[in-house]
Each structure stands twice: as C-alpha cells, then as structure tokens.
mmCIF file of all heavy atoms in Angstrom:
data_model
loop_
_atom_site.group_PDB
_atom_site.id
_atom_site.type_symbol
_atom_site.label_atom_id
_atom_site.label_comp_id
_atom_site.label_asym_id
_atom_site.label_seq_id
_atom_site.Cartn_x
_atom_site.Cartn_y
_atom_site.Cartn_z
ATOM 1 N N CYS A 268 59.908 194.371 16.201
ATOM 2 C CA CYS A 268 61.218 194.922 16.593
ATOM 3 C C CYS A 268 61.719 195.911 15.557
ATOM 4 O O CYS A 268 62.814 196.469 15.764
ATOM 5 C CB CYS A 268 62.216 193.776 16.764
ATOM 6 S SG CYS A 268 62.693 192.921 15.242
ATOM 7 N N SER A 269 61.036 196.172 14.470
ATOM 8 C CA SER A 269 61.508 197.092 13.442
ATOM 9 C C SER A 269 61.647 198.477 13.984
ATOM 10 O O SER A 269 61.009 198.867 14.982
ATOM 11 C CB SER A 269 60.554 197.070 12.234
ATOM 12 O OG SER A 269 59.274 197.521 12.599
ATOM 13 N N ARG A 270 62.368 199.320 13.270
ATOM 14 C CA ARG A 270 62.603 200.684 13.744
ATOM 15 C C ARG A 270 62.245 201.679 12.613
ATOM 16 O O ARG A 270 62.306 201.409 11.435
ATOM 17 C CB ARG A 270 64.112 200.907 14.133
ATOM 18 C CG ARG A 270 65.042 200.695 13.025
ATOM 19 C CD ARG A 270 66.500 200.981 13.406
ATOM 20 N NE ARG A 270 67.427 200.729 12.310
ATOM 21 C CZ ARG A 270 67.716 201.592 11.329
ATOM 22 N NH1 ARG A 270 67.135 202.777 11.314
ATOM 23 N NH2 ARG A 270 68.581 201.318 10.424
ATOM 24 N N GLU A 271 61.920 202.899 13.046
ATOM 25 C CA GLU A 271 61.631 203.979 12.081
ATOM 26 C C GLU A 271 62.931 204.489 11.510
ATOM 27 O O GLU A 271 63.977 204.525 12.153
ATOM 28 C CB GLU A 271 60.906 205.107 12.829
ATOM 29 C CG GLU A 271 60.154 206.083 11.974
ATOM 30 C CD GLU A 271 58.774 205.644 11.673
ATOM 31 O OE1 GLU A 271 58.209 204.831 12.417
ATOM 32 O OE2 GLU A 271 58.205 206.119 10.663
ATOM 33 N N GLU A 272 62.874 204.865 10.227
ATOM 34 C CA GLU A 272 64.037 205.420 9.518
ATOM 35 C C GLU A 272 63.660 206.694 8.825
ATOM 36 O O GLU A 272 62.752 206.712 7.986
ATOM 37 C CB GLU A 272 64.574 204.404 8.529
ATOM 38 C CG GLU A 272 65.753 204.902 7.678
ATOM 39 C CD GLU A 272 66.922 205.355 8.525
ATOM 40 O OE1 GLU A 272 67.508 204.510 9.248
ATOM 41 O OE2 GLU A 272 67.226 206.590 8.451
ATOM 42 N N ALA A 273 64.303 207.807 9.106
ATOM 43 C CA ALA A 273 63.989 209.083 8.565
ATOM 44 C C ALA A 273 64.754 209.477 7.323
ATOM 45 O O ALA A 273 64.354 210.376 6.565
ATOM 46 C CB ALA A 273 64.245 210.215 9.635
ATOM 47 N N ASP A 274 65.836 208.721 7.003
ATOM 48 C CA ASP A 274 66.655 209.024 5.900
ATOM 49 C C ASP A 274 65.856 208.774 4.601
ATOM 50 O O ASP A 274 65.428 207.651 4.302
ATOM 51 C CB ASP A 274 67.959 208.175 5.868
ATOM 52 C CG ASP A 274 68.870 208.514 4.692
ATOM 53 O OD1 ASP A 274 68.535 209.382 3.922
ATOM 54 O OD2 ASP A 274 70.023 207.928 4.697
ATOM 55 N N PRO A 275 65.642 209.785 3.691
ATOM 56 C CA PRO A 275 64.865 209.587 2.444
ATOM 57 C C PRO A 275 65.505 208.536 1.567
ATOM 58 O O PRO A 275 64.731 207.892 0.748
ATOM 59 C CB PRO A 275 64.952 210.963 1.786
ATOM 60 C CG PRO A 275 65.207 211.892 2.897
ATOM 61 C CD PRO A 275 66.026 211.198 3.885
ATOM 62 N N ALA A 276 66.801 208.263 1.629
ATOM 63 C CA ALA A 276 67.428 207.267 0.818
ATOM 64 C C ALA A 276 66.887 205.851 1.105
ATOM 65 O O ALA A 276 66.907 204.967 0.263
ATOM 66 C CB ALA A 276 68.955 207.263 1.041
ATOM 67 N N ALA A 277 66.318 205.665 2.290
ATOM 68 C CA ALA A 277 65.810 204.379 2.709
ATOM 69 C C ALA A 277 64.540 204.004 1.982
ATOM 70 O O ALA A 277 64.099 202.864 1.949
ATOM 71 C CB ALA A 277 65.561 204.311 4.226
ATOM 72 N N ARG A 278 63.922 205.000 1.284
ATOM 73 C CA ARG A 278 62.695 204.736 0.533
ATOM 74 C C ARG A 278 62.969 203.981 -0.731
ATOM 75 O O ARG A 278 62.066 203.446 -1.382
ATOM 76 C CB ARG A 278 62.014 206.047 0.220
ATOM 77 C CG ARG A 278 61.643 206.853 1.471
ATOM 78 C CD ARG A 278 61.104 208.262 1.104
ATOM 79 N NE ARG A 278 60.918 209.075 2.260
ATOM 80 C CZ ARG A 278 60.558 210.328 2.259
ATOM 81 N NH1 ARG A 278 60.357 210.966 1.089
ATOM 82 N NH2 ARG A 278 60.444 211.047 3.362
ATOM 83 N N LEU A 279 64.235 203.988 -1.207
ATOM 84 C CA LEU A 279 64.651 203.234 -2.389
ATOM 85 C C LEU A 279 63.860 203.660 -3.639
ATOM 86 O O LEU A 279 63.559 202.790 -4.484
ATOM 87 C CB LEU A 279 64.526 201.705 -2.164
ATOM 88 C CG LEU A 279 65.383 201.134 -1.038
ATOM 89 C CD1 LEU A 279 65.204 199.614 -0.949
ATOM 90 C CD2 LEU A 279 66.854 201.524 -1.219
ATOM 91 N N GLY A 280 63.573 204.889 -3.696
ATOM 92 C CA GLY A 280 62.887 205.425 -4.926
ATOM 93 C C GLY A 280 61.362 205.189 -4.932
ATOM 94 O O GLY A 280 60.693 205.529 -5.953
ATOM 95 N N LEU A 281 60.842 204.675 -3.887
ATOM 96 C CA LEU A 281 59.367 204.437 -3.887
ATOM 97 C C LEU A 281 58.626 205.645 -3.345
ATOM 98 O O LEU A 281 59.150 206.366 -2.500
ATOM 99 C CB LEU A 281 59.076 203.191 -2.946
ATOM 100 C CG LEU A 281 59.640 201.884 -3.426
ATOM 101 C CD1 LEU A 281 59.545 200.800 -2.383
ATOM 102 C CD2 LEU A 281 58.858 201.445 -4.703
ATOM 103 N N GLY A 282 57.421 205.815 -3.838
ATOM 104 C CA GLY A 282 56.614 206.997 -3.432
ATOM 105 C C GLY A 282 55.952 206.778 -2.050
ATOM 106 O O GLY A 282 54.705 206.695 -1.993
ATOM 107 N N VAL A 283 56.750 206.743 -0.980
ATOM 108 C CA VAL A 283 56.228 206.539 0.362
ATOM 109 C C VAL A 283 56.598 207.704 1.247
ATOM 110 O O VAL A 283 57.560 208.407 0.934
ATOM 111 C CB VAL A 283 56.711 205.186 0.978
ATOM 112 C CG1 VAL A 283 56.233 204.032 0.142
ATOM 113 C CG2 VAL A 283 58.243 205.164 0.994
ATOM 114 N N THR A 284 55.882 207.878 2.304
ATOM 115 C CA THR A 284 56.169 208.966 3.215
ATOM 116 C C THR A 284 56.779 208.518 4.506
ATOM 117 O O THR A 284 57.274 209.345 5.292
ATOM 118 C CB THR A 284 54.860 209.759 3.522
ATOM 119 O OG1 THR A 284 53.928 208.842 4.138
ATOM 120 C CG2 THR A 284 54.285 210.357 2.244
ATOM 121 N N ARG A 285 56.716 207.207 4.800
ATOM 122 C CA ARG A 285 57.224 206.688 6.057
ATOM 123 C C ARG A 285 57.877 205.364 5.783
ATOM 124 O O ARG A 285 57.445 204.544 4.976
ATOM 125 C CB ARG A 285 56.012 206.480 7.013
ATOM 126 C CG ARG A 285 56.359 205.844 8.348
ATOM 127 C CD ARG A 285 55.086 205.446 9.064
ATOM 128 N NE ARG A 285 55.403 204.806 10.349
ATOM 129 C CZ ARG A 285 54.611 203.907 10.919
ATOM 130 N NH1 ARG A 285 53.495 203.493 10.315
ATOM 131 N NH2 ARG A 285 54.974 203.350 12.087
ATOM 132 N N VAL A 286 58.991 205.098 6.541
ATOM 133 C CA VAL A 286 59.739 203.857 6.322
ATOM 134 C C VAL A 286 60.113 203.273 7.695
ATOM 135 O O VAL A 286 60.584 203.978 8.629
ATOM 136 C CB VAL A 286 61.020 204.138 5.550
ATOM 137 C CG1 VAL A 286 61.968 202.918 5.580
ATOM 138 C CG2 VAL A 286 60.735 204.509 4.069
ATOM 139 N N ARG A 287 59.918 201.982 7.798
ATOM 140 C CA ARG A 287 60.393 201.193 8.925
ATOM 141 C C ARG A 287 61.327 200.134 8.391
ATOM 142 O O ARG A 287 61.072 199.555 7.333
ATOM 143 C CB ARG A 287 59.264 200.574 9.684
ATOM 144 C CG ARG A 287 58.358 201.561 10.460
ATOM 145 C CD ARG A 287 57.465 200.863 11.429
ATOM 146 N NE ARG A 287 58.156 200.280 12.572
ATOM 147 C CZ ARG A 287 58.520 200.978 13.704
ATOM 148 N NH1 ARG A 287 58.226 202.260 13.776
ATOM 149 N NH2 ARG A 287 59.177 200.397 14.601
ATOM 150 N N LEU A 288 62.398 199.855 9.125
ATOM 151 C CA LEU A 288 63.433 198.932 8.648
ATOM 152 C C LEU A 288 63.504 197.714 9.621
ATOM 153 O O LEU A 288 63.291 197.882 10.806
ATOM 154 C CB LEU A 288 64.744 199.572 8.569
ATOM 155 C CG LEU A 288 64.889 200.738 7.558
ATOM 156 C CD1 LEU A 288 66.271 201.296 7.563
ATOM 157 C CD2 LEU A 288 64.461 200.295 6.139
ATOM 158 N N PRO A 289 63.844 196.546 9.142
ATOM 159 C CA PRO A 289 64.010 195.383 10.042
ATOM 160 C C PRO A 289 65.186 195.493 10.924
ATOM 161 O O PRO A 289 66.235 196.103 10.589
ATOM 162 C CB PRO A 289 64.151 194.176 9.039
ATOM 163 C CG PRO A 289 64.744 194.844 7.809
ATOM 164 C CD PRO A 289 64.121 196.199 7.691
ATOM 165 N N VAL A 290 65.058 194.909 12.149
ATOM 166 C CA VAL A 290 66.162 194.952 13.116
ATOM 167 C C VAL A 290 66.642 193.541 13.412
ATOM 168 O O VAL A 290 67.760 193.196 13.227
ATOM 169 C CB VAL A 290 65.745 195.689 14.403
ATOM 170 C CG1 VAL A 290 66.851 195.579 15.461
ATOM 171 C CG2 VAL A 290 65.436 197.131 14.092
ATOM 172 N N GLY A 291 65.686 192.723 13.886
ATOM 173 C CA GLY A 291 66.054 191.336 14.235
ATOM 174 C C GLY A 291 66.009 191.119 15.755
ATOM 175 O O GLY A 291 66.540 191.923 16.508
ATOM 176 N N CYS A 292 65.356 190.055 16.184
ATOM 177 C CA CYS A 292 65.259 189.715 17.590
ATOM 178 C C CYS A 292 65.020 188.233 17.725
ATOM 179 O O CYS A 292 64.827 187.549 16.690
ATOM 180 C CB CYS A 292 64.087 190.495 18.236
ATOM 181 S SG CYS A 292 62.467 189.985 17.659
ATOM 182 N N PRO A 293 65.076 187.666 18.884
ATOM 183 C CA PRO A 293 64.848 186.214 19.043
ATOM 184 C C PRO A 293 63.520 185.746 18.539
ATOM 185 O O PRO A 293 63.365 184.632 18.053
ATOM 186 C CB PRO A 293 64.979 186.006 20.580
ATOM 187 C CG PRO A 293 65.852 187.091 21.044
ATOM 188 C CD PRO A 293 65.470 188.291 20.185
ATOM 189 N N GLU A 294 62.474 186.612 18.628
ATOM 190 C CA GLU A 294 61.134 186.204 18.180
ATOM 191 C C GLU A 294 61.057 185.974 16.682
ATOM 192 O O GLU A 294 60.306 185.137 16.172
ATOM 193 C CB GLU A 294 60.149 187.291 18.572
ATOM 194 C CG GLU A 294 59.903 187.418 20.063
ATOM 195 C CD GLU A 294 59.302 186.158 20.653
ATOM 196 O OE1 GLU A 294 58.439 185.531 20.001
ATOM 197 O OE2 GLU A 294 59.709 185.754 21.755
ATOM 198 N N CYS A 295 61.861 186.722 15.886
ATOM 199 C CA CYS A 295 61.836 186.561 14.413
ATOM 200 C C CYS A 295 63.070 185.841 13.937
ATOM 201 O O CYS A 295 63.369 185.837 12.707
ATOM 202 C CB CYS A 295 61.718 187.918 13.758
ATOM 203 S SG CYS A 295 63.070 189.074 14.081
ATOM 204 N N GLY A 296 63.833 185.213 14.863
ATOM 205 C CA GLY A 296 65.039 184.471 14.419
ATOM 206 C C GLY A 296 66.107 185.368 13.874
ATOM 207 O O GLY A 296 66.963 184.877 13.113
ATOM 208 N N GLY A 297 66.117 186.655 14.257
ATOM 209 C CA GLY A 297 67.123 187.552 13.765
ATOM 210 C C GLY A 297 66.891 188.077 12.360
ATOM 211 O O GLY A 297 67.732 188.850 11.849
ATOM 212 N N THR A 298 65.820 187.720 11.705
ATOM 213 C CA THR A 298 65.563 188.188 10.353
ATOM 214 C C THR A 298 64.926 189.546 10.217
ATOM 215 O O THR A 298 65.010 190.252 9.257
ATOM 216 C CB THR A 298 64.658 187.171 9.599
ATOM 217 O OG1 THR A 298 63.365 187.158 10.177
ATOM 218 C CG2 THR A 298 65.286 185.770 9.647
ATOM 219 N N GLY A 299 64.204 189.918 11.312
ATOM 220 C CA GLY A 299 63.457 191.196 11.264
ATOM 221 C C GLY A 299 62.088 191.089 10.648
ATOM 222 O O GLY A 299 61.345 192.101 10.564
ATOM 223 N N PHE A 300 61.719 189.861 10.266
ATOM 224 C CA PHE A 300 60.372 189.647 9.660
ATOM 225 C C PHE A 300 59.673 188.456 10.296
ATOM 226 O O PHE A 300 60.362 187.496 10.711
ATOM 227 C CB PHE A 300 60.536 189.389 8.156
ATOM 228 C CG PHE A 300 61.124 190.548 7.341
ATOM 229 C CD1 PHE A 300 62.459 190.620 7.139
ATOM 230 C CD2 PHE A 300 60.270 191.503 6.851
ATOM 231 C CE1 PHE A 300 62.985 191.690 6.422
ATOM 232 C CE2 PHE A 300 60.760 192.576 6.108
ATOM 233 C CZ PHE A 300 62.142 192.705 5.907
#
C-alpha cells in the first residue's frame, strides 16, 4: 500500500534516487509495513 514520493526532502539525507513512503491499510494493521 506504500506510495511514491517525489519530494527530495523525503530522502532524509540518504544517497537514494527513489523513495516510497508507508501509507497503512487493513492488511498491515495501519502501520504501512
């Protein structure tokens, strides 16, 4: 259920080119993981 995030700030200073963020759904108990 995670979603793509284009904002560079979401990388939190890590040397990555792509970021997905947790959302939460019934399958993961709302945690996103």
Side-chain angles (χ1 to χ4, degrees):
C268 68
S269 63
R270 62 176 177 84
E271 199 86 22
E272 177 56 64
D274 186 355
R278 302 173 188 174
L279 300 183
L281 295 169
V283 296
T284 59
R285 177 193 179 209
V286 169
R287 293 191 68 84
L288 299 180
V290 174
C292 68
E294 292 296 321
C295 61
T298 65
F300 297 92

